[in-house]
Amino acid sequence: MLVGFGKNVREWERRHFASSHSASLNELRPSSALERAVSPLPNSLMERFDYDADGPTNEMFSRLLSADNKVHFAGDAPERNLISPIPPLRVRTESYTLHEKQKAKGDSGFLSAPTIQAEVHQHFPHGLTGKHILSVDMFTKEQLNYIFNLAQTFRMYVSKDRPLDHVLKGKLMASIFYEVSTRTCCSFSAAMQRLGGRVIYMNESTSSAQKGETLEDSIATLAGYADVVVLRHPSPGSVLKASQHCRKPVLNAGDGVGEHPSQALLDVFTIREEIGTVNGLVITLVGDLKNGRTVHSLARLLTLYNVHLRYVSPANLKMPNNITKFVAGKGIHQQEFDTLEEVLPDTDVLYVTRIQRERFESQEEYDKACGHFVVTPQLMTRAKRRMVVMHPLPRVFEISPEFDSDPRAAYFRQTECGMYVRMALLAMVLGKC
C-alpha cells in the first residue's frame, strides 16, 4: 500500500517530507527508463514551513512576507510593456513562402486566399484617422498617394474575390441624404458593406426633419448610433456646420453648389487608372461649371499636380471666380473656350457635367442653357485616340448613348472606381488602414 493511502495527512510526520539517505525514492514510484536522482527538499525550507501545525493558512503567508528579499511585488519591478505592439496594416500581394502556404492550408488541404490584416494602430502615416472629410483643400499629395494605393489594393482584392469583410467588422455608418442620390449613396453603402461594416439610413422625407428637427440635432442623434457619418445637404457650408455638432467623423457627400471631395478623389483616381498618370495632362471641364460642385472640387484638387485646365461652358455658367483665383494662385495654367471643337484635339481628359435643372429658378432659363455641348461619336473623331471621357453622372443629353461603346468612354468605370476610393476613405478615417 502506498504511503499515506487512507491516512489523515495532518498526522504525517515531518520525516515523510525530509530527505533521508536510508529511504529511497524508488520505493515511492514505479521504475522508469528515465531514472535519475531527485534533489531532496532543503532543511531550511522545511524549517520555514511547519507542516505539522494545524494553524490557519495565513500564518504561513505571514512568514513568507516576513522573509527578506524573498517576495517581490509588481511595484518593486521596473515597468515593462507586457503587450506587443499591434502592427500597422500589411497588405500581402506577393506569393506565399512554403512555410506560409503550409500554415494557410486548413483541414481541407487547400490554400486560402491572402487576406488584409487590418488592426487598430495608434499612429498611421496618412493622418486621416478620426478626421472630418469636408474639403479637398485638406489633402496633401502624400495622402492622395496613400488613398489611391489602398483603393487600388481593394480593387484587386474585389476583382479576385478575396475576403475583405473583416476590415470594418463591427463598425456602423450613418448615411444621411437630404438630397436624392444614386451613385454616392449606394457606393458609400457598398464600400462599407464590402469591408464588413453595416449601414443605417436617414433621409429628409421620412425623418423627423418633416417635424422641424434641425440638421444639427439629427446629426448629433445619429452620431450616437454610428462610428462614421456620410452627409449630403443642399446648402453650401451645411456639412461643415453639422460637423461642429458631431463627435464622430463626418464625410461630405456634397453640400449644394459647394464641394464634393470624395467625387474629386475618385475622379483623380480614375484618371490615374485610365491613363497611368495625372501630371502633364490637358484636362477639359465642360458643362455647368457654375453650379457643379464636382468640378469645383476637382479643379481645386488638380492643383496638386502639373496639369493644364480648360473650361467650356455657356456664358452664364462659367467657373466661379473663387475657383479660378484659387487655381491661379497655385500656378496652374487655365483657359476658357467657347466650343468643344477648339479644345478636343489636345484634350487628354474630357470631363463632362450635366446642366443641373434643380439649380435654375425657371424652366425657360434652364432650356436656354441646354444643348450647347453634346458628346457624339461624330464629334469625338476630332479627339485623340488615347484619351478618356468622364462624367460624374447622371447624364441627361450631354453624352449620346451611342458613344457608350467607345473604349474612351470611361464614365461607368469611373463609378466603379468611386466604390474603391470610398472603401479606402472609410478604412482610413476609422483607423483600420
Side-chain angles (χ1 to χ4, degrees), residues 412-433:
F412 292 115
R413 299 191 295 272
Q414 177 185 354
T415 61
E416 182 183 351
C417 287
M419 181 182 67
Y420 305 123
V421 168
R422 286 162 177 149
M423 289 171 70
L425 269 182
L426 288 169
M428 291 165 67
V429 167
L430 289 173
K432 293 296 184 179
C433 291

Side-chain angles (χ1 to χ4, degrees), residues 17 30 37 60 88 96 118 130 138 153 173 176 183 190 196 202 218 250 287 309 324 331 336 346 360 374 381 403 421:
F17 293 92
M60 290 189 292
Y96 278 143
M138 66 179 289
T153 300
M173 183 187 84
I176 307 175
R183 277 149 293 278
M202 176 196 144
S218 296
V250 175
L309 294 180
T324 56
E336 293 182 345
D346 298 325
F360 289 83
V374 180
T381 59
F403 183 70
V421 168

Side-chain angles (χ1 to χ4, degrees), residues 136 139-149 261 264-273 276-283 297-309 326-334 349 421:
V136 295
F139 296 111
T140 65
K141 187 70 170 294
E142 291 72 23
Q143 288 174 329
L144 294 189
N145 290 334
Y146 200 105
I147 293 170
F148 298 153
N149 289 338
L265 290 172
L266 74 89
D267 291 338
V268 176
F269 177 69
T270 302
I271 295 172
R272 201 177 83 153
E273 292 289 288
T277 185
V278 180
N279 288 314
L281 300 182
V282 175
I283 301 175
S297 291
L298 179 57
R300 298 173 77 96
L301 192 62
L302 285 172
T303 60
L304 293 176
Y305 299 88
N306 178 24
V307 297
H308 298 272
L309 294 180
F326 180 89
V327 172
K330 299 293 184 178
I332 301 299
H333 182 269
Q334 53 187 341
V349 177
V421 168

Side-chain angles (χ1 to χ4, degrees), residues 386-408:
R386 189 174 184 272
M387 56 88 68
V388 292
V389 177
M390 298 171 58
H391 194 305
L393 301 180
R395 64 176 170 183
V396 183
F397 57 81
E398 57 276 3
I399 297 180
S400 169
E402 296 175 356
F403 183 70
D404 292 353
S405 59
D406 192 299
R408 296 172 293 182

Side-chain angles (χ1 to χ4, degrees), residues 89-109:
L89 173 70
R90 291 177 294 182
V91 181
R92 175 62 63 87
T93 56
E94 68 272 18
S95 59
Y96 278 143
T97 64
L98 178 61
H99 175 68
E100 290 172 320
K101 285 182 179 180
Q102 292 174 347
K103 284 186 64 179
K105 288 183 178 179
D107 296 335
S108 62

Side-chain angles (χ1 to χ4, degrees), residues 44-60:
S44 60
L45 183 60
M46 293 305 303
E47 293 173 356
R48 185 163 296 141
F49 299 107
D50 189 1
Y51 285 92
D52 292 342
D54 196 17
T57 305
N58 56 1
E59 181 180 348
M60 290 189 292

